[in-house]
Amino acid sequence: MSKFHGELTQREQELLKIRRDSDTKAAQLVKMEKMLQQTKNLLDKKTESSSESMGYQENMEDLEEKVRSSRRYRRNSLHHTQMLESQMKTVKGELVGTLDHLQELRNVLRRSQQKAEERKAAMEKLAAGLR
């Protein structure tokens, strides 16, 4: 019986040891689960931060594209303005030529009117002389 008692005591000790090991392992498992949750939370935060960073990067890319587009628009506008200024100078030159021509025509018209009035006066004089 003492043999059974000794064997029972030994088995109880082994059972106690297994229970302690089990408790220790359970405590370690709880710690590991907490660490896993913390790691997951950190990863989620990093992902959010990365998403915000990606949003910031996309925002910067959009702004850079807007700047490039704005520069292209400015260059095109400048080119268009230069073309319009050139056309305006051409038209101005043509207008000056047309104005000069109109002044010449006006002078011709005045001389013609003067000659017509002189002829009219001469004809009236002749008509008066014939009566």
Side-chain angles (χ1 to χ4, degrees), residues 25-69:
K25 298 283 184 197
Q28 287 176 346
L29 185 59
V30 168
K31 285 181 185 178
M32 290 174 77
E33 285 175 348
K34 285 181 183 178
M35 286 175 50
L36 179 62
Q37 186 61 41
Q38 289 173 348
T39 304
K40 184 178 179 229
N41 290 341
L42 287 173
L43 183 62
D44 288 345
K45 285 181 184 178
K46 183 161 181 130
T47 303
E48 287 174 13
S49 174
S50 177
S51 295
E52 289 172 6
S53 176
M54 289 294 284
Y56 174 78
Q57 187 174 359
E58 289 172 0
N59 215 5
M60 286 301 291
E61 288 172 0
D62 287 346
L63 289 176
E64 288 172 357
E65 179 55 35
K66 286 179 182 178
V67 166
R68 283 191 294 273
S69 175

Side-chain angles (χ1 to χ4, degrees), residues 6 19 34 58 64 69 71 89 94 103 111 125 129:
R19 282 185 184 158
K34 285 181 183 178
E58 289 172 0
E64 288 172 357
S69 175
R71 286 181 181 157
K89 287 178 184 175
E94 290 173 358
Q103 287 174 344
R111 284 192 300 269
K125 199 177 196 184

Side-chain angles (χ1 to χ4, degrees), residues 107-119:
N107 291 339
V108 169
L109 181 61
R110 278 187 192 159
R111 284 192 300 269
S112 296
Q113 284 175 338
Q114 262 182 338
K115 285 182 186 178
E117 286 174 12
E118 288 172 2
R119 286 182 187 159

